[in-house]
């Protein structure tokens, strides 16, 4: 099992933290709001601990579970504390109109995070295409939810894939880090479905393997 540090205390932090603890991973929760970090650690249970915000995370795998609007400042604040860590970017840099992004036109969220991260940190995009409550609910009618993964380092992606599988989810490697741009567009697809077709968030985007 792995030691997982989660920076953030919102819905996605709770969903991933809860699944990780249930799967037997050690979990550390870190948040600007220490009271929220403590509350989430207690909710996660299984001996989940809290860490001081801005201090070097104890885990080798660090889940960046904060909004994109805050994540670059968070990465810069942690600075060298993230050196050598595997950073899992779950963010979506979506603008308030739900049809565009706040990132530069020639870039994308995961790339901006990689630029801000210290040398030696590996950035892998994952978990950004599922709603938090759907993720927390786990398999649907015996079918695991799909988690798409993009990153440049094959070993880092293999570690994230193994972690995803341990949570009862199904990992799909979609390629190198530039494919994270496509995964961020999948978020726009979900929001378009929410607004125009499905009208609720009780759905998941995944792959149906035929035959």
């Amino acid at each position: 099992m792995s030691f997982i540090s989660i920076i953030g205390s919102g819905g996605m932090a709770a969903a991933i933290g809860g699944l990780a603890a249930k799967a037997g991973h050690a979990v550390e929760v870190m948040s600007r709001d220490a009271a929220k970090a403590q509350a989430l650690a207690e909710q996660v249970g299984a001996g989940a601990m809290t860490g001081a915000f801005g201090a070097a995370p104890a885990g080798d795998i660090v889940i960046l579970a904060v909004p994109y609007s805050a994540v670059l400042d968070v990465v810069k604040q942690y600075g060298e504390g993230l050196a050598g860590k595997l950073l899992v970017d779950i963010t979506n840099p979506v603008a308030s109109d739900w049809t565009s992004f706040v990132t530069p036109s020639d870039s994308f969220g995961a790339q901006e995070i990689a630029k801000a991260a210290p040398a030696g940190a590996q950035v892998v995009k994952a978990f950004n295409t599922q709603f938090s409550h759907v993720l927390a609910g786990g398999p649907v009618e015996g079918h695991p939810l799909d988690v798409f993964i993009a990153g440049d380092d094959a070993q880092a992606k293999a570690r994230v894939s193994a972690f995803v599988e341990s949570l009862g989810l199904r990992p799909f490697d979609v390629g190198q880090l530039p494919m994270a741009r496509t995964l961020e567009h999948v978020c726009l697809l979900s929001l378009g479905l929410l607004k125009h077709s499905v009208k609720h968030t009780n759905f998941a985007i995944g792959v149906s393997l035929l035959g």
Side-chain angles (χ1 to χ4, degrees):
M1 295 293 103
S2 301
F3 199 139
I4 310 299
S5 291
I6 301 174
I7 302 176
S9 56
M12 285 297 288
I16 297 172
L19 291 174
K22 184 178 179 181
H25 299 285
V27 177
E28 175 187 45
V29 180
M30 313 174 86
S31 173
R32 291 186 190 276
D33 188 323
K36 287 184 178 180
Q38 183 61 43
L40 180 54
E42 292 173 0
Q43 176 185 332
V44 166
M49 57 182 284
T50 59
F53 185 83
D60 293 325
I61 297 177
V62 180
I63 311 293
L64 301 175
V66 296
Y68 182 78
S69 59
V71 72
L72 298 182
D73 285 339
V74 167
V75 170
K76 290 172 183 176
Q77 181 167 345
Y78 275 82
E80 289 302 314
L82 299 179
K85 302 290 186 179
L86 198 173
L87 308 181
V88 179
D89 166 30
I90 73 169
T91 68
N92 285 301
V94 176
S96 58
D97 63 3
W98 283 17
T99 63
S100 61
F101 296 106
V102 298
T103 44
S105 60
D106 61 347
S107 188
F108 51 96
Q111 180 168 278
E112 294 301 303
I113 290 172
K115 289 178 182 178
Q122 296 289 343
V123 176
V124 174
K125 190 81 172 186
F127 294 105
N128 75 299
T129 62
Q130 300 291 358
F131 294 109
S132 61
H133 69 282
V134 173
L135 188 65
V140 178
E141 298 180 351
H143 299 288
L145 298 172
D146 292 335
V147 175
F148 302 113
I149 297 169
D152 289 335
D153 185 273
Q155 184 177 5
K157 285 195 292 185
R159 290 174 62 196
V160 174
S161 291
F163 173 61
V164 168
E165 282 190 314
S166 77
L167 305 186
L169 308 170
R170 186 169 62 165
F172 277 102
D173 185 346
V174 303
Q176 294 187 304
L177 196 63
M179 282 297 291
R181 183 198 296 268
T182 300
L183 296 184
E184 291 165 9
H185 276 84
V186 173
C187 176
L188 290 188
L189 173 62
S190 294
L191 294 175
L193 290 169
L194 169 62
K195 183 176 180 179
H196 299 286
S197 300
V198 182
K199 305 294 186 178
H200 60 74
T201 59
N202 192 32
F203 68 92
I205 291 179
V207 174
S208 294
L209 300 175
L210 306 178

Coordinates of all heavy atoms in Angstrom, one line a residue, residues 4 11 20 26 34 48 57 70 91 98 106 112 116 125 135 139 148 151 165 180 183 185-186 198 205 211:
I4 N -0.5 8.3 0.9 CA -1.1 9.3 0.0 C -1.3 10.6 0.8 O -1.9 10.6 1.9 CB -2.5 8.8 -0.5 CG1 -2.4 7.4 -1.1 CG2 -3.1 9.8 -1.5 CD1 -1.5 7.3 -2.3
G11 N -14.9 18.2 -1.8 CA -15.6 17.0 -2.2 C -14.7 15.9 -2.8 O -14.8 14.7 -2.5
A20 N -9.2 5.7 -0.6 CA -7.8 5.3 -0.3 C -7.7 4.7 1.0 O -7.1 3.6 1.2 CB -6.9 6.5 -0.4
A26 N -2.3 4.6 3.7 CA -2.2 5.6 4.7 C -2.5 6.9 4.0 O -2.1 7.2 2.9 CB -0.7 5.6 5.2
A34 N -7.0 24.4 9.0 CA -6.6 23.2 9.8 C -7.8 22.5 10.3 O -7.8 21.3 10.4 CB -5.7 23.7 10.9
A48 N -6.3 8.2 9.4 CA -5.9 9.3 8.6 C -5.4 10.4 9.4 O -5.9 10.7 10.5 CB -7.0 9.8 7.7
P57 N 4.9 17.2 2.2 CA 3.9 16.1 2.4 C 4.6 14.8 2.8 O 5.7 14.6 2.3 CB 3.2 16.0 1.0 CG 3.4 17.3 0.4 CD 4.8 17.8 0.8
A70 N -6.6 28.0 -7.4 CA -5.7 28.1 -6.2 C -4.5 27.2 -6.4 O -3.5 27.4 -5.7 CB -6.4 27.7 -5.0
T91 N -7.4 18.8 -11.3 CA -8.1 20.1 -11.6 C -8.6 20.2 -13.0 O -8.2 19.6 -13.9 CB -7.1 21.3 -11.3 OG1 -6.1 21.3 -12.3 CG2 -6.5 21.2 -9.9
W98 N -18.4 28.0 -18.5 CA -18.5 26.6 -18.7 C -18.2 26.1 -20.1 O -18.5 25.0 -20.5 CB -19.9 26.0 -18.3 CG -20.1 25.9 -16.8 CD1 -19.4 26.5 -15.8 CD2 -21.1 25.2 -16.1 NE1 -19.9 26.2 -14.6 CE2 -20.9 25.4 -14.7 CE3 -22.2 24.4 -16.6 CZ2 -21.8 24.8 -13.8 CZ3 -23.0 23.8 -15.6 CH2 -22.8 24.0 -14.2
D106 N -2.2 28.7 -25.5 CA -1.2 27.7 -26.0 C -0.8 26.7 -24.9 O 0.3 26.1 -25.0 CB 0.1 28.4 -26.5 CG 0.7 29.3 -25.4 OD1 0.1 29.5 -24.3 OD2 1.9 29.7 -25.6
E112 N 0.7 24.0 -16.8 CA 0.9 25.1 -16.0 C 1.4 24.6 -14.6 O 2.3 25.2 -14.0 CB -0.3 26.0 -15.9 CG -0.7 26.7 -17.1 CD 0.5 27.6 -17.7 OE1 0.9 28.5 -16.9 OE2 0.9 27.4 -18.8
A116 N 5.1 25.1 -12.6 CA 5.2 25.7 -11.3 C 5.9 24.7 -10.3 O 6.4 25.1 -9.3 CB 3.8 26.0 -10.8
K125 N -2.0 13.6 -14.8 CA -3.4 14.1 -14.8 C -4.3 12.8 -14.5 O -4.1 11.8 -15.1 CB -3.8 14.7 -16.1 CG -5.1 15.3 -16.1 CD -5.0 16.7 -15.5 CE -6.3 17.5 -15.7 NZ -6.1 18.9 -15.3
L135 N -17.7 9.5 -7.9 CA -16.5 8.8 -7.5 C -16.6 8.1 -6.2 O -16.2 7.0 -6.0 CB -15.3 9.8 -7.6 CG -13.9 9.3 -7.5 CD1 -13.6 8.4 -8.7 CD2 -12.9 10.4 -7.3
P139 N -18.2 1.5 -7.8 CA -18.7 0.8 -8.9 C -20.3 0.9 -9.0 O -21.0 1.0 -8.0 CB -18.3 -0.7 -8.6 CG -17.1 -0.6 -7.8 CD -17.4 0.6 -6.9
F148 N -9.2 8.3 -16.4 CA -8.2 8.5 -17.5 C -7.0 9.2 -16.9 O -7.0 10.1 -16.1 CB -8.9 9.4 -18.5 CG -10.1 8.8 -19.1 CD1 -11.4 9.4 -18.9 CD2 -10.1 7.6 -19.8 CE1 -12.5 8.8 -19.4 CE2 -11.3 7.0 -20.3 CZ -12.5 7.7 -20.1
G151 N 0.4 11.5 -18.7 CA 1.6 11.9 -18.1 C 2.8 11.5 -18.9 O 2.7 10.6 -19.8
E165 N -6.5 1.4 -9.5 CA -7.0 0.0 -9.4 C -7.3 -0.4 -8.0 O -8.3 -1.1 -7.7 CB -6.1 -1.0 -10.1 CG -6.1 -1.0 -11.6 CD -5.3 -2.2 -12.2 OE1 -4.2 -2.4 -11.8 OE2 -5.9 -2.8 -13.1
A180 N -3.5 15.7 -21.4 CA -4.3 16.3 -20.3 C -5.2 17.4 -20.8 O -6.3 17.6 -20.2 CB -3.4 16.8 -19.2
L183 N -8.3 15.7 -21.7 CA -9.0 15.3 -20.5 C -9.7 16.5 -19.9 O -10.8 16.4 -19.3 CB -8.1 14.7 -19.5 CG -7.5 13.3 -20.0 CD1 -6.7 12.7 -18.8 CD2 -8.6 12.4 -20.4
H185 N -10.9 19.0 -21.6 CA -12.1 19.2 -22.5 C -13.2 18.2 -22.1 O -14.4 18.5 -22.3 CB -11.7 19.1 -23.9 CG -11.1 20.3 -24.5 ND1 -9.8 20.7 -24.4 CD2 -11.7 21.3 -25.2 CE1 -9.6 21.8 -25.0 NE2 -10.7 22.3 -25.5
V186 N -12.8 17.0 -21.6 CA -13.9 16.1 -21.2 C -14.7 16.7 -20.1 O -15.9 16.5 -20.0 CB -13.2 14.8 -20.8 CG1 -14.3 13.8 -20.2 CG2 -12.6 14.1 -21.9
V198 N -28.5 15.9 -19.8 CA -28.7 15.1 -18.6 C -29.5 15.8 -17.5 O -30.3 15.2 -16.8 CB -27.4 14.5 -18.1 CG1 -27.6 13.5 -17.0 CG2 -26.7 13.8 -19.3
I205 N -18.7 9.5 -17.3 CA -18.1 9.2 -18.6 C -17.1 8.1 -18.5 O -16.2 8.2 -17.7 CB -17.5 10.5 -19.2 CG1 -18.7 11.5 -19.4 CG2 -16.7 10.3 -20.4 CD1 -18.2 12.9 -20.0
G211 N -17.0 -6.8 -26.9 CA -16.4 -8.1 -27.3 C -15.2 -8.4 -26.5 O -14.7 -7.7 -25.7

